Amino acid sequence: MKLRFFSKTLFKILRNEMAPKKRFMSGFECKNNEITSDIVIQVIGTGASGTSKSLTVLTNHRNYLFNCGEGTTRLLKEHGIGDVNDCFITHPSLNNTSGLPGIRNLTLHGPPKIRNLFTFVFTKGSSTKINVCDDFSTVIQDGDFRIESVPIIAKKNVLSRSVNEETSNLSFPSSKNKKKKGGITVEEKMDVRDISLAYICVPSTLSEIGKCGDVKSGEVFIVIECPTEDFLDSLLETETFSKFQLSNNNPKEMLSLMVHLTPTDVFNHWKYKDWMSRFPSETKHMIVNESCPGLANEAVYRLQYKLNCIDPEVFPLLKTDFELPQSCVDSRNVILAEPLLRYFIRPKSGCDRSKIVKLEPDKYLNEVANIPGWQKNYLSLKTSVAERETSVESDTDYPQVIFLGTGSYLSTVMRNVCCILLKINKDKCMILDCGEGSYGQILRYFGSQETAKILINLTAIFISHLHFDHFGGLVKILHERQKIMEQTDPFERPLFLLAPPHIDKYLKLHDNISPINLISNFQLCYGQRQMMNNQYQTILHHSDLLDICTVKVKHNIIAFGVVLTLKDGQKLVYTGDTTPCDDLIEIGKNCNLLIHEATMCDFETQPSHAKYHSTVSQAIEMGRRMDVEFTMLTHFGTQHGPVPIFSDDCLNVGVAFDNMMVPLSRLHLTSAFTPVFELLFRDYDKTL
């Protein structure tokens, strides 16, 4: 009874604090004849496995974004959606916010203290500028919309802190709410993740005197997320939606569309269904969650079809089995979202499916076949590869190096940010860095069933440094691994996280992370190992390695490279981000594979040491000084274009692409691909 009483009291306190103050979004104010004539809601990510739930609202004047999870900004670039001015977060979870580092100069609106989620996301050197507005007690208005945020409050854990007290340092923000009830302060006991916001979006119109006036009937839409069943009682008690509902058979305003970002299990709950039934039958309901199809990254598949023409083993076709919907909708007024599905609010309402993403393999292959000189160069490539294969001393399948992300800083249409999967053998694998979107890359490469095996067999994750393009996908991978383990594997398999200091502070921002063995990279430094021998041997045993050590490299924050020695004596070196580093040369001498960053072009005017990165020539020279068998270049900046430029006589240097798999025994063959890469992507800007 005390819990119920306090829950209702807290809800009243929050509602009393929400007097309808008015503030303006970034951008313009309404002027005569500037009211937008077009308003389109467009689905970006559907929430299907490997994608996030996000949508844009496009008008004549500006673009708005609702939620920005992993991969969202990459999709915005691919589909030609311009700068986003305002982003509205429904619930401050990782799935809704982890794509924000890819957006610059943005006003962010969301639940209280949402800025706390970005402690590790926006680093000192980042050019991203975000103005966070976490006071949801206001009505937000600009020349296109009046947007009212409606809090929906979870009631389950009001009297206690987060389930794992050590994983949350977020609290309710307003000092006004430090009102005690029985000695309990609201600020101390209301965790920020207990609040979700619904947004009532009312398009602006012109009144007779030429100012922003009332909305036309049927143009209002609502975006709502009810994350768990704990929010349902609050949803049913919220009176703000009543003006759109059938109370007294006379709704005060007509609602055109309700966009549901609510998970399937909550959406199907009888309380949620009861709430939906209160709206008129004319109201459309769009579902955006894991029950939807999720084929969104057409450009990624298109690129892989083309690369597959070069070598089907090195560039296997990507999987689509995880993209299929898990359920169907049989109601006439319920719409199942698909990527790029559009719903028009103005000039008149209705769905448009003309831009929905579809794969066209024949079209992609014809584009390759019609490239001038393709057949001649392809035959020359096969001859070159055949000559090199005669010198192969070993043709073993393992270890395999799978490049899942080869870009730097921000994902592009062509390259995701850093992620490398090392398959040591068929039963053991580890990850070297995992930037934003890495889990989606794994899903596309392996498909859902094989991805589950990969996560179960994952023994270690190495994080080189705390820049978001190197660790932004970590929590997603940990969450997905935990779900797989709970469903399929009753045995506890240790996972070692080798990372810089302070990664624990980032992990504590996120709940429901299973126990992991956190090892500081300092503990494994070459010649200065700071751990007990039995713990070190445990890491080696579970990872099937002969040796593992780290080395500090030269970057603008604390950063490490890593050297892995396999049980057969082969040695692999991964640099992370660095300028040329003598310590790395010493420790990596005579390695079989050097994976070196090549962020910068040789012709860039700013010296590489000023940006704490390496040029292509510096990376190649590092390999020469280390006497490596092969150097693979990765972590390319956008200034490179599709293929970095370097000398044709570098026979032991290769260029990494996303979704590229190379056994160590075939590394030397990939250097023959470079001329064909250059031909294939000669008109890259026009075709992708």
Side-chain angles (χ1 to χ4, degrees):
M1 293 299 295
K2 289 183 179 180
L3 174 61
R4 183 176 181 83
F5 170 78
F6 183 72
S7 178
K8 288 186 176 181
T9 301
L10 174 60
F11 187 78
K12 290 178 180 178
I13 292 172
L14 287 172
R15 298 301 298 171
N16 290 337
E17 289 295 322
M18 292 186 60
K21 309 162 192 173
K22 185 180 291 187
R23 66 179 155 83
F24 289 88
M25 289 180 272
S26 60
F28 67 96
E29 296 183 15
C30 181
K31 297 179 181 179
N32 291 352
N33 302 320
E34 281 194 355
I35 294 300
T36 184
S37 59
D38 297 298
I39 301 175
V40 183
I41 299 170
Q42 182 168 271
V43 177
I44 302 300
T46 62
S49 187
T51 65
S52 59
K53 297 179 288 188
S54 59
L55 54 127
T56 55
V57 177
L58 312 177
T59 75
N60 304 81
H61 304 131
R62 55 202 286 106
N63 302 324
Y64 309 83
L65 180 66
F66 287 82
N67 290 343
C68 187
E70 286 194 34
T72 300
T73 52
R74 192 180 191 192
L75 289 172
L76 293 176
K77 293 174 186 176
E78 176 179 341
H79 299 304
I81 298 171
D83 293 338
V84 172
N85 308 101
D86 293 85
C87 179
F88 296 85
I89 302 298
T90 54
H91 187 245
S93 65
L94 176 78
N95 289 336
N96 291 342
T97 58
S98 54
L100 285 168
I103 300 181
R104 304 178 183 182
N105 301 320
L106 173 77
T107 299
L108 182 66
H109 311 267
K113 283 194 174 179
I114 195 170
R115 70 186 74 228
N116 287 2
L117 289 174
F118 311 124
T119 304
F120 281 79
V121 173
F122 299 109
T123 60
K124 185 176 180 181
S126 173
S127 61
T128 301
K129 296 180 180 179
I130 288 191
N131 176 31
V132 181
C133 298
D134 54 11
D135 177 12
F136 59 83
S137 65
T138 58
V139 174
I140 309 165
Q141 185 167 318
D142 67 1
D144 284 339
F145 289 103
R146 184 178 77 250
I147 298 179
E148 179 181 0
S149 54
V150 182
I152 307 168
I153 304 159
K155 297 187 177 182
K156 180 177 181 181
N157 294 318
V158 172
L159 286 179
S160 61
R161 294 189 69 83
S162 173
V163 174
N164 182 355
E165 187 171 0
E166 294 183 354
T167 64
S168 178
N169 61 0
L170 305 178
S171 58
F172 195 72
S174 177
S175 59
K176 299 177 183 179
N177 289 337
K178 293 183 180 180
K179 179 177 179 180
K180 291 194 175 184
K181 189 75 177 180
I184 301 171
T185 65
V186 174
E187 181 179 14
E188 289 176 352
K189 300 305 178 182
M190 189 65 185
D191 187 85
V192 65
R193 273 165 272 182
D194 289 329
I195 298 178
S196 183
L197 294 185
Y199 295 99
I200 301 176
C201 304
V202 183
S204 299
T205 63
L206 289 177
S207 68
E208 294 180 356
I209 58 174
K211 294 183 179 180
C212 291
D214 295 331
V215 69
K216 296 179 181 179
S217 177
E219 290 189 336
V220 181
F221 63 94
I222 295 176
V223 179
I224 185 169
E225 178 180 7
C226 193
T228 69
E229 294 178 6
D230 300 332
F231 292 81
L232 288 174
D233 288 340
S234 173
L235 179 67
L236 292 171
E237 295 170 4
T238 301
E239 298 179 358
T240 311
F241 303 111
S242 61
K243 57 187 174 183
F244 305 106
Q245 296 173 339
L246 290 170
S247 54
N248 299 321
N249 296 317
N250 184 27
K252 295 180 181 179
E253 295 186 41
M254 180 61 68
L255 183 65
S256 175
L257 178 70
M258 177 86 72
V259 182
H260 301 268
L261 306 180
T262 300
T264 300
D265 58 337
V266 182
F267 184 86
N268 291 328
H269 195 281
W270 70 267
K271 290 183 178 180
Y272 199 85
K273 293 293 186 183
D274 175 59
W275 179 75
M276 287 179 60
S277 69
R278 300 178 185 182
F279 294 89
S281 59
E282 293 82 4
T283 298
K284 299 293 185 182
H285 298 270
M286 180 185 293
I287 303 175
V288 185
N289 63 23
E290 67 277 10
S291 66
C292 301
L295 182 60
N297 297 86
E298 189 224 358
V300 176
Y301 288 90
R302 181 184 186 185
L303 174 63
Q304 196 71 4
Y305 269 102
K306 295 183 176 185
L307 291 171
N308 180 260
C309 296
I310 297 176
D311 191 310
E313 293 183 15
V314 176
F315 300 103
L317 294 179
L318 303 180
K319 308 298 190 297
T320 59
D321 62 319
F322 71 96
E323 307 278 8
L324 301 176
Q326 300 174 12
S327 64
C328 60
V329 175
D330 54 8
S331 176
R332 291 175 58 185
N333 68 335
V334 176
I335 305 163
L336 195 66
E338 297 180 67
L340 294 196
L341 173 71
R342 300 192 298 173
Y343 189 94
F344 283 86
I345 297 294
R346 188 182 287 176
K348 63 179 181 178
S349 63
C351 272
D352 174 20
R353 299 178 180 274
S354 62
K355 292 184 178 293
I356 287 177
V357 176
K358 298 178 182 178
L359 297 184
E360 302 178 84
D362 292 340
K363 174 184 175 182
Y364 311 149
L365 297 179
N366 286 334
E367 289 173 352
V368 175
N370 292 330
I371 295 175
W374 169 257
Q375 191 64 25
K376 177 181 177 181
N377 280 270
Y378 177 74
L379 293 175
S380 176
L381 168 65
K382 290 301 178 184
T383 301
S384 178
V385 169
E387 292 174 351
R388 298 183 188 204
E389 282 184 328
T390 59
S391 63
V392 174
E393 298 179 0
S394 172
D395 192 25
T396 57
D397 292 333
Y398 296 96
Q400 297 175 353
V401 183
I402 303 173
F403 294 91
L404 297 168
T406 57
S408 68
Y409 186 52
L410 298 176
S411 294
T412 65
V413 174
M414 188 172 190
R415 298 183 186 274
N416 205 63
V417 289
C418 305
C419 185
I420 301 168
L421 179 71
L422 175 63
K423 293 188 73 174
I424 299 169
N425 52 49
K426 64 182 181 65
D427 297 319
K428 299 289 178 68
C429 62
M430 67 182 299
I431 289 175
L432 308 177
D433 279 336
C434 48
E436 175 206 343
S438 293
Y439 177 71
Q441 292 286 92
I442 293 172
L443 264 179
R444 281 185 284 273
Y445 188 92
F446 291 103
S448 54
Q449 290 187 357
E450 191 63 25
T451 291
K453 295 179 182 178
I454 290 294
L455 295 181
I456 290 173
N457 293 335
L458 186 62
T459 62
I461 300 175
F462 169 78
I463 302 297
S464 62
H465 63 289
L466 297 182
H467 279 162
F468 204 70
D469 58 329
H470 291 259
F471 79 96
L474 172 62
V475 172
K476 178 67 173 178
I477 288 176
L478 294 178
H479 278 165
E480 294 299 327
R481 182 179 185 271
Q482 180 179 349
K483 287 195 294 187
I484 295 294
M485 298 292 282
E486 291 173 349
Q487 296 169 3
T488 62
D489 197 326
F491 303 102
E492 182 178 345
R493 302 197 184 199
L495 175 65
F496 296 92
L497 176 59
L498 317 178
H502 310 306
I503 188 73
D504 57 321
K505 294 182 180 179
Y506 175 71
L507 297 177
K508 287 177 182 178
L509 293 174
H510 306 284
D511 288 330
N512 302 320
I513 296 179
S514 59
I516 54 177
N517 299 282
L518 181 57
I519 308 294
S520 169
N521 286 340
F522 279 113
Q523 294 178 269
L524 289 168
C525 269
Y526 177 67
Q528 304 174 31
R529 198 167 67 227
Q530 302 172 13
M531 64 168 55
M532 300 295 291
N533 187 61
N534 59 347
Q535 185 181 19
Y536 173 67
Q537 292 299 327
T538 299
I539 298 173
L540 298 182
H541 171 73
H542 283 287
S543 301
D544 273 356
L545 295 173
L546 183 63
D547 186 47
I548 180 171
C549 61
T550 60
V551 58
K552 279 194 69 175
V553 294
K554 298 179 179 180
H555 197 40
N556 58 356
I557 63 171
I558 296 174
F560 297 84
V562 67
V563 180
L564 307 172
T565 305
L566 309 179
K567 286 188 172 180
D568 62 3
Q570 293 189 91
K571 188 161 71 172
L572 180 151
V573 178
Y574 170 60
T575 66
D577 286 2
T578 183
T579 57
C581 176
D582 291 338
D583 290 343
L584 195 64
I585 293 173
E586 178 184 350
I587 193 175
K589 273 285 186 181
N590 302 311
C591 67
N592 300 87
L593 172 62
L594 169 65
I595 303 175
H596 203 295
E597 71 118 296
T599 308
M600 302 183 65
C601 299
D602 293 328
F603 54 78
E604 287 192 69
T605 55
Q606 187 172 6
S608 60
H609 66 265
K611 290 189 174 182
Y612 299 93
H613 285 290
S614 296
T615 65
V616 171
S617 293
Q618 287 172 335
I620 294 173
E621 177 62 14
M622 283 283 288
R624 186 192 65 78
R625 293 175 62 189
M626 293 167 69
D627 291 325
V628 303
E629 287 188 11
F630 198 86
T631 299
M632 186 67 79
L633 305 178
T634 187
H635 197 269
F636 301 110
T638 55
Q639 64 276 13
H640 279 293
V643 187
I645 300 172
F646 57 92
S647 174
D648 294 336
D649 60 1
C650 298
L651 300 181
N652 67 336
V653 177
V655 175
F657 276 87
D658 285 16
N659 304 306
M660 176 181 186
M661 187 283 293
V662 188
L664 258 62
S665 61
R666 298 194 70 205
L667 278 170
H668 64 291
L669 303 180
T670 62
S671 61
F673 296 164
T674 304
V676 184
F677 287 154
E678 294 171 349
L679 180 65
L680 187 63
F681 300 113
R682 182 174 56 190
D683 298 323
Y684 168 77
D685 289 335
K686 298 178 182 179
T687 60
L688 280 178

